[in-house]
Amino acid sequence: MAACAAALTLLLALPAGAEVVAASGSPSRWTPADYVRASLALSPEAVSAEASRDGAAARAKAKWARAFAPALSFTARATPAKLGPRGLFRFDAWRAGANDLSLTPGVSWNLFNSFQDLLSARSAELSREMAADSLEAALQTEALDALRAYWGLFLRERVVEVSRQNLAIQVEQYDLTQDRYKHGMKSLSDLLKTETDWRSAELRVEGDEASRRLALFRFNISVGSDEGAPAALDADLTLGTTQPPLLDAGLRQASERRPELVRARRELAQAETSDRLAKIAAGPTLALDFDGSHAWNGDYGKASLPFGAGTSVYGFALKLALPGSFNLYSQVQDVRASATDLRRARQTLEAQRRAVREEVYQSHIELSRALRSHEIASRKEDISRQNLELVKQEYSEGSADVIRLSQAQSDFVNAQVERMQALHDVKINTARWKRAVGEPIWR
């Protein structure tokens, strides 16, 4: 998780090609990587996770310092007002050499306390590491959501393009049929059928355009752009591979690298540390301390003692003591509580392990299906295109009726949409697979 330390610091600098709107008013061009970085830089969840990581790191450093560094102390006492020998209240001047001032600096250092400080510091360090794991998991989740928004807008824009092309073709076919009808070559039923297809294409354009606008809103809101601002997508449409990854290798990688699973292991280690600490604190504890101080006092009115004379006290102390509120019952309950937390942490780790394995299996199945679906959809699109060209030729020659033409056109439109949907699914499920096995997708 060392890469998490500077994660959002790098993300805060938007890439040069990712301006929201250029000075000329033309839309920016977003690559998937640009969009993910810009989205993470403004993600409340990612920024909050980074703040939690930084806070946990500061607390861990403070814990180590309190556990192993010497502690300094300093007291100053001034008593210019006092009662005299006859009970009279007298106020002396504020003078450093008078008997109204004492300065006492000191140092204390705990050298051993039955490993309680060491275990407490280790627990704080585990908290810091868990916060870093949580940041990594948050970045992965937010990056996947950003990719969904990116490819969702890509899909909706391509679908709108297909719908508009289909509408233009339907209008063209209606005009052709109307001309044939006027010359007695087509029936009124054919004319009405082509007009019905025309209106259906118009309805489809309206519905697809509404979906595109919603996808654009989701796209822009994540990067702080105006909700309706146009955005041009510079997307890489290559699949990368047509073969699904190896499932066994993915399961092994997920077991080692998934931040959620790593965090669960650290939670178990922290619970074990707390259990040991509770058992130590339940009984007598042995402590070795070093204490030292030196008191500077006034001369108490005696000229023979210059200001600054005083006493030094320093030495080692070995202490054996019971807990401050020892009554046996409370100590037993504390140990039982820590043991319960330890059992819960073990079960949490097992539940997380099962969830990760299930996610790896599911993402592998979905990615395999998406790759195969894209292959089939591409072939289907080619076939439907060839069939449409043949039927259009036959229709213009009068050997095909309007029903065949309408069906061929509908098949081609559906095949185009299915291929683009399959491409969308491949991109999203590739990212899901990487996230499932613990491969960073936010960098």
Side-chain angles (χ1 to χ4, degrees):
M1 301 304 169
C4 286
L8 294 189
T9 303
L10 297 176
L11 295 173
L12 290 175
L14 295 182
E19 293 84 7
V20 176
V21 179
S24 62
S26 60
S28 60
R29 299 197 64 83
W30 293 94
T31 66
D34 290 341
Y35 183 74
V36 167
R37 284 193 291 268
S39 179
L40 290 181
L42 298 178
S43 169
E45 291 79 6
V47 175
S48 176
E50 186 196 27
S52 297
R53 189 277 316 274
D54 292 343
R59 285 188 290 271
K61 292 176 181 178
K63 197 75 172 181
W64 282 106
R66 291 192 186 98
F68 300 106
L72 303 178
S73 62
F74 178 81
T75 59
R77 182 179 180 181
T79 55
K82 57 184 68 70
L83 291 175
R86 299 181 179 179
L88 298 178
F89 189 76
R90 187 179 77 251
F91 182 83
D92 293 338
W94 289 91
R95 292 180 293 108
N99 60 347
D100 56 8
L101 180 65
S102 65
L103 305 176
T104 310
V107 60
S108 62
W109 195 357
N110 174 252
L111 303 176
F112 178 76
N113 67 343
S114 300
F115 303 106
Q116 293 183 83
D117 283 343
L118 177 62
L119 293 174
S120 296
R122 177 56 183 158
S123 180
E125 183 66 19
L126 287 170
S127 295
R128 182 195 64 79
E129 293 172 352
M130 287 189 294
D133 296 331
S134 297
L135 173 59
E136 175 75 14
L139 291 173
Q140 290 283 79
T141 300
E142 293 301 301
L144 181 59
D145 289 343
L147 289 173
R148 285 195 177 103
Y150 183 93
W151 290 107
L153 177 60
F154 169 83
L155 174 63
R156 296 332 312 172
E157 288 186 340
R158 300 292 89 77
V159 168
V160 168
E161 289 179 5
V162 171
S163 297
R164 292 189 182 280
Q165 292 173 4
N166 177 56
L167 176 59
I169 293 174
Q170 296 295 346
V171 172
E172 180 183 349
Q173 291 175 357
Y174 173 78
D175 293 339
L176 176 61
T177 304
Q178 188 179 44
D179 181 69
R180 297 291 177 88
Y181 172 72
K182 290 179 180 179
H183 293 83
M185 300 174 63
K186 294 296 180 180
S187 66
L188 178 61
S189 177
D190 290 341
L191 181 62
L192 294 176
K193 172 59 178 171
T194 54
E195 185 173 4
T196 300
D197 292 341
W198 171 16
R199 301 308 176 187
S200 296
E202 285 185 321
L203 290 175
R204 182 165 188 164
V205 168
E206 292 299 321
D208 291 340
E209 178 62 25
S211 298
R212 185 199 68 82
R213 291 173 61 190
L214 180 59
L216 180 62
F217 168 82
R218 292 170 178 164
F219 181 95
N220 284 332
I221 198 69
S222 296
V223 291
S225 302
D226 182 73
E227 289 82 351
L233 306 183
D234 189 11
D236 180 10
L237 303 184
T238 59
L239 298 183
T241 179
T242 57
Q243 298 296 324
L246 298 177
L247 178 59
D248 291 341
L251 288 170
R252 289 193 298 270
Q253 184 175 341
S255 178
E256 298 172 357
R257 300 179 60 178
R258 271 298 290 269
E260 295 89 348
L261 202 53
V262 175
R263 177 186 170 87
R265 293 194 188 100
R266 290 195 169 104
E267 286 180 343
L268 176 58
Q270 189 177 55
E272 292 172 343
T273 301
S274 298
D275 184 61
R276 291 178 59 192
L277 189 59
K279 291 176 180 177
I280 292 173
T285 56
L286 184 67
L288 177 63
D289 297 325
F290 172 81
D291 294 291
S293 63
H294 183 87
W296 279 275
N297 302 311
D299 62 6
Y300 293 92
K302 299 179 181 179
S304 59
L305 291 177
F307 177 77
T311 58
S312 295
V313 178
Y314 54 89
F316 293 94
L318 186 63
K319 305 173 186 177
L320 181 64
L322 288 173
S325 58
F326 182 80
N327 57 21
L328 188 59
Y329 180 81
S330 61
Q331 280 70 40
V332 170
Q333 298 306 313
D334 287 339
V335 172
R336 291 184 60 186
S338 64
T340 301
D341 292 339
L342 180 58
R343 291 198 304 271
R344 179 192 57 79
R346 289 195 179 107
Q347 296 306 313
T348 299
L349 174 59
E350 176 61 22
Q352 188 64 63
R353 186 189 68 83
R354 295 182 182 182
V356 167
R357 289 181 64 86
E358 180 180 356
E359 187 175 345
V360 172
Y361 269 95
Q362 183 178 5
S363 61
H364 185 269
I365 292 171
E366 290 297 325
L367 179 55
S368 301
R369 178 198 61 80
L371 289 170
R372 179 59 178 159
S373 297
H374 185 269
E375 180 183 354
I376 297 172
S378 298
R379 178 58 180 160
K380 180 180 178 180
E381 183 181 9
D382 291 338
I383 295 173
S384 62
R385 180 186 293 106
Q386 296 177 33
N387 182 60
L388 177 60
E389 292 174 354
L390 291 174
V391 174
K392 287 174 67 175
Q393 181 65 29
E394 292 174 358
Y395 183 77
S396 63
E397 295 172 353
S399 59
D401 59 19
V402 71
I403 301 298
R404 283 187 59 196
L405 178 62
S406 176
Q407 185 61 51
Q409 179 63 28
S410 177
D411 290 344
F412 180 56
V413 170
N414 291 335
Q416 287 180 293
V417 173
E418 287 172 354
R419 183 185 64 82
M420 287 182 290
Q421 180 68 57
L423 175 62
H424 166 274
D425 292 348
V426 169
K427 293 295 186 179
I428 295 301
N429 284 295
T430 298
R432 285 186 60 197
W433 168 259
K434 291 180 178 180
R435 178 183 180 274
V437 301
E439 183 176 341
I441 60 177
W442 53 269
R443 297 176 185 170

mmCIF file of all heavy atoms in Angstrom, residues 405-424:
data_model
loop_
_atom_site.group_PDB
_atom_site.id
_atom_site.type_symbol
_atom_site.label_atom_id
_atom_site.label_comp_id
_atom_site.label_asym_id
_atom_site.label_seq_id
_atom_site.Cartn_x
_atom_site.Cartn_y
_atom_site.Cartn_z
ATOM 1 N N LEU A 405 -38.455 -5.713 -45.464
ATOM 2 C CA LEU A 405 -37.551 -4.567 -45.347
ATOM 3 C C LEU A 405 -37.518 -4.036 -43.917
ATOM 4 O O LEU A 405 -36.456 -3.742 -43.373
ATOM 5 C CB LEU A 405 -38.007 -3.467 -46.306
ATOM 6 C CG LEU A 405 -37.175 -2.171 -46.271
ATOM 7 C CD1 LEU A 405 -35.744 -2.445 -46.674
ATOM 8 C CD2 LEU A 405 -37.806 -1.117 -47.156
ATOM 9 N N SER A 406 -38.681 -3.927 -43.308
ATOM 10 C CA SER A 406 -38.749 -3.434 -41.936
ATOM 11 C C SER A 406 -38.026 -4.362 -40.973
ATOM 12 O O SER A 406 -37.300 -3.913 -40.077
ATOM 13 C CB SER A 406 -40.211 -3.271 -41.517
ATOM 14 O OG SER A 406 -40.301 -2.880 -40.153
ATOM 15 N N GLN A 407 -38.202 -5.657 -41.172
ATOM 16 C CA GLN A 407 -37.558 -6.618 -40.288
ATOM 17 C C GLN A 407 -36.038 -6.593 -40.461
ATOM 18 O O GLN A 407 -35.278 -6.655 -39.486
ATOM 19 C CB GLN A 407 -38.086 -8.023 -40.568
ATOM 20 C CG GLN A 407 -37.561 -9.075 -39.612
ATOM 21 C CD GLN A 407 -37.954 -8.801 -38.171
ATOM 22 O OE1 GLN A 407 -39.121 -8.577 -37.884
ATOM 23 N NE2 GLN A 407 -36.979 -8.820 -37.267
ATOM 24 N N ALA A 408 -35.592 -6.471 -41.722
ATOM 25 C CA ALA A 408 -34.149 -6.431 -41.977
ATOM 26 C C ALA A 408 -33.522 -5.184 -41.351
ATOM 27 O O ALA A 408 -32.427 -5.242 -40.786
ATOM 28 C CB ALA A 408 -33.888 -6.476 -43.479
ATOM 29 N N GLN A 409 -34.231 -4.053 -41.475
ATOM 30 C CA GLN A 409 -33.724 -2.823 -40.872
ATOM 31 C C GLN A 409 -33.682 -2.925 -39.359
ATOM 32 O O GLN A 409 -32.719 -2.507 -38.704
ATOM 33 C CB GLN A 409 -34.592 -1.640 -41.305
ATOM 34 C CG GLN A 409 -34.175 -0.306 -40.729
ATOM 35 C CD GLN A 409 -32.788 0.127 -41.169
ATOM 36 O OE1 GLN A 409 -32.339 -0.249 -42.256
ATOM 37 N NE2 GLN A 409 -32.107 0.890 -40.336
ATOM 38 N N SER A 410 -34.734 -3.491 -38.779
ATOM 39 C CA SER A 410 -34.785 -3.665 -37.325
ATOM 40 C C SER A 410 -33.673 -4.597 -36.842
ATOM 41 O O SER A 410 -33.038 -4.338 -35.818
ATOM 42 C CB SER A 410 -36.156 -4.214 -36.918
ATOM 43 O OG SER A 410 -36.208 -4.460 -35.529
ATOM 44 N N ASP A 411 -33.428 -5.665 -37.596
ATOM 45 C CA ASP A 411 -32.359 -6.599 -37.217
ATOM 46 C C ASP A 411 -30.998 -5.914 -37.226
ATOM 47 O O ASP A 411 -30.167 -6.138 -36.331
ATOM 48 C CB ASP A 411 -32.345 -7.790 -38.176
ATOM 49 C CG ASP A 411 -33.550 -8.705 -37.990
ATOM 50 O OD1 ASP A 411 -34.219 -8.594 -36.939
ATOM 51 O OD2 ASP A 411 -33.821 -9.515 -38.901
ATOM 52 N N PHE A 412 -30.768 -5.068 -38.222
ATOM 53 C CA PHE A 412 -29.475 -4.388 -38.319
ATOM 54 C C PHE A 412 -29.285 -3.393 -37.171
ATOM 55 O O PHE A 412 -28.207 -3.309 -36.573
ATOM 56 C CB PHE A 412 -29.365 -3.682 -39.671
ATOM 57 C CG PHE A 412 -28.072 -2.954 -39.855
ATOM 58 C CD1 PHE A 412 -26.857 -3.611 -39.738
ATOM 59 C CD2 PHE A 412 -28.054 -1.593 -40.130
ATOM 60 C CE1 PHE A 412 -25.647 -2.939 -39.912
ATOM 61 C CE2 PHE A 412 -26.858 -0.910 -40.290
ATOM 62 C CZ PHE A 412 -25.651 -1.594 -40.185
ATOM 63 N N VAL A 413 -30.335 -2.649 -36.853
ATOM 64 C CA VAL A 413 -30.247 -1.686 -35.748
ATOM 65 C C VAL A 413 -29.979 -2.414 -34.437
ATOM 66 O O VAL A 413 -29.112 -2.023 -33.650
ATOM 67 C CB VAL A 413 -31.526 -0.845 -35.667
ATOM 68 C CG1 VAL A 413 -31.548 -0.017 -34.381
ATOM 69 C CG2 VAL A 413 -31.651 0.069 -36.873
ATOM 70 N N ASN A 414 -30.720 -3.476 -34.190
ATOM 71 C CA ASN A 414 -30.539 -4.231 -32.952
ATOM 72 C C ASN A 414 -29.136 -4.839 -32.871
ATOM 73 O O ASN A 414 -28.520 -4.875 -31.794
ATOM 74 C CB ASN A 414 -31.587 -5.327 -32.843
ATOM 75 C CG ASN A 414 -32.981 -4.774 -32.614
ATOM 76 O OD1 ASN A 414 -33.143 -3.669 -32.100
ATOM 77 N ND2 ASN A 414 -34.001 -5.520 -33.008
ATOM 78 N N ALA A 415 -28.631 -5.303 -34.008
ATOM 79 C CA ALA A 415 -27.295 -5.898 -34.020
ATOM 80 C C ALA A 415 -26.231 -4.852 -33.706
ATOM 81 O O ALA A 415 -25.259 -5.126 -32.985
ATOM 82 C CB ALA A 415 -27.014 -6.548 -35.372
ATOM 83 N N GLN A 416 -26.395 -3.642 -34.223
ATOM 84 C CA GLN A 416 -25.444 -2.575 -33.918
ATOM 85 C C GLN A 416 -25.447 -2.243 -32.428
ATOM 86 O O GLN A 416 -24.390 -2.092 -31.804
ATOM 87 C CB GLN A 416 -25.793 -1.324 -34.730
ATOM 88 C CG GLN A 416 -25.471 -1.414 -36.205
ATOM 89 C CD GLN A 416 -25.852 -0.142 -36.939
ATOM 90 O OE1 GLN A 416 -27.031 0.183 -37.070
ATOM 91 N NE2 GLN A 416 -24.867 0.585 -37.406
ATOM 92 N N VAL A 417 -26.650 -2.122 -31.866
ATOM 93 C CA VAL A 417 -26.765 -1.810 -30.441
ATOM 94 C C VAL A 417 -26.187 -2.943 -29.593
ATOM 95 O O VAL A 417 -25.484 -2.694 -28.593
ATOM 96 C CB VAL A 417 -28.230 -1.533 -30.073
ATOM 97 C CG1 VAL A 417 -28.391 -1.376 -28.562
ATOM 98 C CG2 VAL A 417 -28.737 -0.292 -30.792
ATOM 99 N N GLU A 418 -26.447 -4.173 -29.981
ATOM 100 C CA GLU A 418 -25.934 -5.317 -29.218
ATOM 101 C C GLU A 418 -24.410 -5.370 -29.250
ATOM 102 O O GLU A 418 -23.768 -5.707 -28.243
ATOM 103 C CB GLU A 418 -26.530 -6.608 -29.786
ATOM 104 C CG GLU A 418 -28.011 -6.795 -29.450
ATOM 105 C CD GLU A 418 -28.607 -7.974 -30.179
ATOM 106 O OE1 GLU A 418 -27.900 -8.568 -31.032
ATOM 107 O OE2 GLU A 418 -29.767 -8.308 -29.899
ATOM 108 N N ARG A 419 -23.805 -5.018 -30.405
ATOM 109 C CA ARG A 419 -22.343 -5.018 -30.463
ATOM 110 C C ARG A 419 -21.759 -3.934 -29.563
ATOM 111 O O ARG A 419 -20.774 -4.157 -28.848
ATOM 112 C CB ARG A 419 -21.870 -4.825 -31.897
ATOM 113 C CG ARG A 419 -20.346 -4.899 -32.028
ATOM 114 C CD ARG A 419 -19.897 -4.589 -33.442
ATOM 115 N NE ARG A 419 -20.223 -3.218 -33.814
ATOM 116 C CZ ARG A 419 -19.490 -2.161 -33.480
ATOM 117 N NH1 ARG A 419 -18.391 -2.291 -32.730
ATOM 118 N NH2 ARG A 419 -19.840 -0.952 -33.872
ATOM 119 N N MET A 420 -22.366 -2.760 -29.574
ATOM 120 C CA MET A 420 -21.868 -1.683 -28.718
ATOM 121 C C MET A 420 -22.103 -1.999 -27.239
ATOM 122 O O MET A 420 -21.274 -1.682 -26.389
ATOM 123 C CB MET A 420 -22.528 -0.365 -29.112
ATOM 124 C CG MET A 420 -22.001 0.189 -30.435
ATOM 125 S SD MET A 420 -22.722 1.776 -30.878
ATOM 126 C CE MET A 420 -24.396 1.282 -31.254
ATOM 127 N N GLN A 421 -23.237 -2.634 -26.943
ATOM 128 C CA GLN A 421 -23.484 -3.046 -25.562
ATOM 129 C C GLN A 421 -22.452 -4.085 -25.123
ATOM 130 O O GLN A 421 -21.960 -4.041 -23.992
ATOM 131 C CB GLN A 421 -24.897 -3.626 -25.441
ATOM 132 C CG GLN A 421 -25.268 -4.090 -24.041
ATOM 133 C CD GLN A 421 -25.392 -2.952 -23.054
ATOM 134 O OE1 GLN A 421 -26.176 -2.033 -23.267
ATOM 135 N NE2 GLN A 421 -24.637 -3.010 -21.966
ATOM 136 N N ALA A 422 -22.103 -4.986 -26.038
ATOM 137 C CA ALA A 422 -21.096 -5.996 -25.715
ATOM 138 C C ALA A 422 -19.726 -5.353 -25.497
ATOM 139 O O ALA A 422 -18.986 -5.740 -24.587
ATOM 140 C CB ALA A 422 -21.029 -7.036 -26.827
ATOM 141 N N LEU A 423 -19.386 -4.343 -26.325
ATOM 142 C CA LEU A 423 -18.118 -3.639 -26.122
ATOM 143 C C LEU A 423 -18.113 -2.928 -24.775
ATOM 144 O O LEU A 423 -17.109 -2.971 -24.039
ATOM 145 C CB LEU A 423 -17.904 -2.632 -27.253
ATOM 146 C CG LEU A 423 -16.665 -1.725 -27.121
ATOM 147 C CD1 LEU A 423 -15.385 -2.546 -27.124
ATOM 148 C CD2 LEU A 423 -16.639 -0.683 -28.233
ATOM 149 N N HIS A 424 -19.207 -2.280 -24.443
ATOM 150 C CA HIS A 424 -19.346 -1.633 -23.130
ATOM 151 C C HIS A 424 -19.145 -2.646 -22.014
ATOM 152 O O HIS A 424 -18.416 -2.403 -21.045
ATOM 153 C CB HIS A 424 -20.726 -0.981 -23.044
ATOM 154 C CG HIS A 424 -21.136 -0.573 -21.672
ATOM 155 N ND1 HIS A 424 -21.767 -1.454 -20.791
ATOM 156 C CD2 HIS A 424 -21.018 0.597 -20.988
ATOM 157 C CE1 HIS A 424 -22.015 -0.835 -19.658
ATOM 158 N NE2 HIS A 424 -21.576 0.400 -19.746
#
